């Protein structure tokens, strides 16, 4: 046989070997993750439920899904074992800030100006709430008068037919 005709079959067999190898590697990683589960760690099931591991057996896991709610799952149903920070962030909404000792950067420039608290309180009491969406009635009338005058200036004046240019 010619080696050129065998080349597509060799390439196909090599591709299948590489795909099965990567799949086996992922399965081994998932199995080692499931075997490293300990009571108290947070997990996500393949169905998307978050819970805390209460007890680990050979093929099953007892999960605490809430107060008084214990669920028995197969180990294969555990999709991911989460770190404590990730579990608290997702389930309880608690953000663990690693840079809590660092300086806090303000969201606006108000802290950059040097003013006393008394000055700020006085300035806040003097300011009125301004509604930028609505105008006062007197301002509306003035605006209407200005637009009417502008339109009158732009329009050509009609005459009786007499013109100065002859």
């Amino acid at each position: 046989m010619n080696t050129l005709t065998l080349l597509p079959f060799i390439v196909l067999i090599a591709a299948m070997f590489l795909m099965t190898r990567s799949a086996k590697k992922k399965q081994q990683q998932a199995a080692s993750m499931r075997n490293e589960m300990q009571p108290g760690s947070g997990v996500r099931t393949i169905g998307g439920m978050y819970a805390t591991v209460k007890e680990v057996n050979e093929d099953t896991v007892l999960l605490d899904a809430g107060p008084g709610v214990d669920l028995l799952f197969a180990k294969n149903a555990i999709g991911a074992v989460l770190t404590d920070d990730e579990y608290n962030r997702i389930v309880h909404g608690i953000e663990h800030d690693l840079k809590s000792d660092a300086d806090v950067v303000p969201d606006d420039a108000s802290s950059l100006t040097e003013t006393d608290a008394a000055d700020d309180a006085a300035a806040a009491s003097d300011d009125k709430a301004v509604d930028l969406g609505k105008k006062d009635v007197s301002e509306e009338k003035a605006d209407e008068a200005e637009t009417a005058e502008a339109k009158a200036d732009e329009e050509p004046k009609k005459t009786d037919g007499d013109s100065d240019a002859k």
Side-chain angles (χ1 to χ4, degrees), residues 117-129:
D119 291 342
D120 291 340
S125 64
D126 291 342
D127 292 339
K128 294 181 182 178

Side-chain angles (χ1 to χ4, degrees), residues 1-164:
M1 265 200 197
N2 191 359
T3 57
L4 191 58
T5 57
L6 291 177
L7 185 63
F9 293 113
I10 293 171
V11 170
L12 183 63
I13 291 171
M16 289 174 53
F17 173 74
L18 291 175
M19 285 190 297
T20 57
R21 183 177 168 198
S22 65
K24 282 184 183 179
K25 197 173 190 180
K26 286 181 184 180
Q27 286 176 349
Q28 287 175 348
Q29 286 177 346
S32 66
M33 172 204 56
R34 290 182 186 118
N35 290 332
E36 292 175 3
M37 276 189 298
Q38 297 176 354
S41 60
V43 295
R44 182 183 68 235
T45 64
I46 58 173
M49 184 182 71
Y50 293 93
T52 306
V53 176
K54 195 171 188 180
E55 182 180 317
V56 179
N57 298 322
E58 189 174 324
D59 293 330
T60 60
V61 178
L62 185 65
L63 300 178
D64 181 22
V69 180
D70 294 336
L71 304 169
L72 186 64
F73 275 84
K75 269 190 176 179
N76 292 339
I78 303 301
V81 177
L82 307 171
T83 63
D84 290 337
D85 292 338
E86 186 177 14
Y87 181 78
N88 287 331
R89 180 182 57 82
I90 293 170
V91 175
H92 303 296
I94 299 171
E95 291 287 335
H96 180 70
D97 189 12
L98 296 175
K99 299 178 182 179
S100 60
D101 297 335
D103 293 334
V104 178
V105 177
D107 289 339
D108 58 357
S110 63
S111 64
L112 299 177
T113 58
E114 299 280 334
T115 58
D116 295 329
D119 291 342
D120 291 340
S125 64
D126 291 342
D127 292 339
K128 294 181 182 178
V130 178
D131 187 8
L132 300 175
K134 295 181 180 179
K135 294 183 179 181
D136 291 336
V137 176
S138 60
E139 289 179 17
E140 286 180 10
K141 289 180 182 177
D143 288 342
E144 289 175 7
E146 287 176 13
T147 55
E149 289 176 11
K151 284 183 182 179
D153 290 341
E154 291 176 4
E155 293 179 6
K157 296 182 181 180
K158 296 182 181 178
T159 59
D160 292 335
D162 297 331
S163 63
D164 294 333

